[in-house]
Amino acid sequence: HVQLVESGGGSVQAGGSLRLSCVASDYTVGRYCMAWFRQAPGEERAGVAEIASDGSTRYADSVKGRFTISRDNAKKILYLQMDNLKPDDTAMYYCAGVRVSANYCYFSSAPVEYVNWGQGTQVTVS
């Protein structure tokens, strides 16, 4: 039974930083696609960053150069370092995984469908 639990959200001022963590159980973090999504009120959920099976990373244009996704395979933790935060980054952030080994996951011409989701952690930037 895959379980993803996020933490690290909070309220910060514009220009500040936060680091989100996602602890995975019954899931090989270093083998499969994993990603961070976010959803703001009234908007659809959208991909923010992903890390593929080979460790390659991809980002939404809106966060490139400010966010960094990484993982600790041994600890089974996925991270999202968010720097230079902007009010537009305000959203609920979700960790996602799927037992698919691929070097292109969400950000591809044939995006994989993530099936495992955490409960979300709120990020508010003022």
Side-chain angles (χ1 to χ4, degrees):
H1 174 66
V2 176
Q3 188 173 16
L4 304 174
V5 180
E6 305 98 333
S7 62
S11 297
V12 296
Q13 292 187 337
S17 297
L18 285 173
R19 188 175 80 158
L20 306 184
S21 299
C22 171
V23 178
S25 61
D26 196 23
Y27 191 86
T28 307
V29 168
R31 179 182 296 176
Y32 302 122
C33 297
M34 293 199 78
W36 288 96
F37 285 72
R38 69 185 181 187
Q39 186 170 22
E43 297 184 10
E44 293 186 356
R45 188 167 56 190
V48 174
E50 72 173 14
I51 185 164
S53 300
D54 64 353
S56 59
T57 58
R58 291 169 190 86
Y59 300 90
D61 288 342
S62 59
V63 306
K64 282 181 181 177
R66 301 188 298 120
F67 289 13
T68 304
I69 188 172
S70 62
R71 65 192 182 195
D72 185 321
N73 297 346
K75 295 182 179 178
K76 296 186 176 183
I77 300 177
L78 181 73
Y79 298 103
L80 184 68
Q81 177 67 40
M82 305 186 294
D83 298 317
N84 190 21
L85 282 160
K86 303 176 180 180
D88 285 349
D89 296 318
T90 296
M92 185 72 78
Y93 283 71
Y94 298 91
C95 171
V98 60
R99 285 192 171 119
V100 170
S101 295
N103 295 335
Y104 289 84
C105 304
Y106 176 78
F107 293 99
S108 76
S109 58
V112 301
E113 180 180 358
Y114 283 91
V115 297
N116 302 116
W117 297 88
Q119 82 288 351
T121 185
Q122 177 68 37
V123 172
T124 303
V125 185
S126 59

